[in-house]
């Protein structure tokens, strides 16, 4: 009994220590965003700003159009979340519940695309969009979301795989009565499958949000300067103000804050997403 208690105390000690180590970089970022450059690198290190340099945030907002970057990012994120969630759930439903010729082969081909890194397909995709005359617009980043695709950081194939696994666990009896009454597959998808799959759909939405929000390669390849997103804007800002660590830390905090807020409110679904991705097919 005593040994068991000691093991638990040791486990808590390791977990608390690991948590502190993980949080320290974020705390350093936030505290640096409220200090002058001299204070940031002062030795010994000071963790509490004296005084708080709130003007770092206003100076960063004046130095670069972060509001515009935020709007541009939001347009891509909203489109990607809606598009990927809708098309991936449709494809996942077809793979999980509908019989059609070549289903297994198509599913294996889909899985194989998850093994291709974005850098492999980057050049052929760019040439294709360039031949279509769409480089310099948002379409190369928006259209794939409605075709079951994703960004460089969020694979649409993984979303389809995740939802297919979730739909496969549902009892067939749920939809049999609907089919006997003459329901179409889309009616079953809309009225039975989707309402029962909200946790999985939220997981896909969160993964897509994170992938699109943090995507750098896609926007830098296809967008014009006035369409830059937060990740590209922050990189440009860093190059222009590399010596102004106070403003750079404030800008970085503003970019990362929405992701932290989403994680805070949706951490339950992050954990569920890890569990879902481990389900057997």
């Amino acid at each position: 009994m005593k040994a068991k208690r000691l093991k638990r105390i040791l486990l808590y000690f390791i977990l608390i220590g690991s948590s502190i180590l993980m949080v320290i970089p974020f705390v350093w970022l936030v505290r640096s965003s409220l200090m002058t450059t001299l204070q940031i690198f002062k030795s010994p290190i000071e963790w509490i700003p004296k005084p708080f340099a709130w003007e770092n945030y206003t100076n960063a907002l004046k130095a670069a159009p972060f509001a515009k970057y935020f709007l541009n990012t939001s347009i891509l994120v909203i489109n990607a979340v809606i598009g990927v969630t809708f098309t991936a759930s449709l494809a996942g439903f077809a793979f999980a519940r509908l019989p059609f010729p070549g289903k297994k082969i198509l599913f294996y081909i889909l899985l194989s695309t998850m093994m291709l890194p974005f850098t492999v397909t980057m050049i052929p995709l760019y040439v294709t969009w360039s031949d279509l005359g769409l480089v310099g617009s948002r379409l190369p980043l928006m259209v794939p979301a409605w075709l079951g695709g994703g960004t460089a950081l969020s694979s649409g194939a993984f979303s389809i795989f995740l939802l297919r696994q979730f739909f496969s666990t549902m009892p067939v009896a749920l939809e049999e009565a609907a089919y006997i009454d003459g329901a179409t597959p889309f009616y079953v998808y809309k009225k039975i499958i989707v309402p029962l799959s909200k946790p999985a759909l939220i997981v896909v939405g969160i993964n897509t949000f994170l992938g699109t929000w943090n995507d750098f390669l896609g926007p830098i390849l296809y967008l014009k300067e006035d369409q830059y997103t937060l990740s590209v804007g922050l990189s440009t800002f860093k190059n222009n103000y590399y010596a102004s660590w106070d403003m750079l830390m404030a800008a970085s905090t503003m970019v990362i804050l929405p992701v932290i807020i989403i994680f805070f409110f949706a951490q339950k679904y992050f954990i569920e997403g890890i569990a879902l991705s481990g389900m057997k097919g």
Side-chain angles (χ1 to χ4, degrees), residues 98-106:
L98 301 181
F100 58 88
K103 187 166 96 170
K104 279 191 176 179
I105 294 173
L106 285 174

Side-chain angles (χ1 to χ4, degrees), residues 5-216:
R5 195 173 178 181
L6 281 173
K7 276 185 183 176
R8 182 170 291 183
I9 291 172
L10 181 63
L11 178 64
Y12 285 146
F13 181 77
I14 292 171
L15 289 175
I16 291 170
S18 303
S19 302
I20 292 172
L21 285 176
M22 294 289 180
V23 169
I24 282 177
F26 179 69
V27 174
W28 191 90
L29 172 71
V30 174
R31 104 352 148 179
S32 301
S33 71
L34 296 168
M35 289 180 166
T36 62
T37 300
L38 287 176
Q39 283 178 308
I40 291 172
F41 298 107
K42 194 174 179 181
S43 182
I45 189 170
E46 289 183 0
W47 288 98
I48 300 176
K50 294 178 186 176
F52 285 83
W54 296 104
E55 64 274 13
N56 290 341
Y57 285 87
T58 53
N59 291 338
L61 287 171
K62 288 176 185 172
F66 279 102
K68 193 171 187 179
Y69 296 152
F70 181 83
L71 176 65
N72 293 336
T73 308
S74 299
I75 292 171
L76 295 179
V77 166
I78 292 170
N79 172 80
V81 170
I82 297 173
V84 170
T85 305
F86 177 62
T87 55
S89 62
L90 276 177
F93 172 71
F95 279 120
R97 316 298 281 198
L98 301 181
F100 58 88
K103 187 166 96 170
K104 279 191 176 179
I105 294 173
L106 285 174
F107 185 64
Y108 291 143
I109 292 173
L110 174 78
L111 291 182
S112 67
T113 63
M114 291 167 58
M115 300 168 196
L116 292 175
F118 178 71
T119 45
V120 173
T121 58
M122 183 173 64
I123 293 175
L125 281 173
Y126 181 84
V127 171
T128 303
W129 287 114
S130 178
D131 289 344
L132 293 172
L134 295 175
V135 172
S137 73
R138 293 190 179 96
L139 289 178
L141 299 175
M142 297 177 78
V143 171
W146 293 93
L147 300 173
T151 66
L153 298 177
S154 65
S155 167
F158 178 73
S159 301
I160 295 171
F161 168 73
L162 191 73
L163 291 172
R164 184 259 186 194
Q165 300 299 89
F166 187 84
F167 295 157
S168 298
T169 61
M170 291 183 174
V172 180
L174 284 173
E175 59 200 67
E176 280 181 341
Y179 282 128
I180 291 171
D181 290 340
T184 62
F186 186 74
Y187 182 88
V188 170
Y189 159 82
K190 183 181 173 185
K191 294 293 183 181
I192 298 175
I193 300 296
V194 169
L196 294 173
S197 307
K198 283 180 184 173
L201 294 173
I202 290 173
V203 169
V204 169
I206 292 170
N207 288 339
T208 306
F209 167 82
L210 291 177
T212 310
W213 186 274
N214 294 320
D215 188 20
F216 178 79

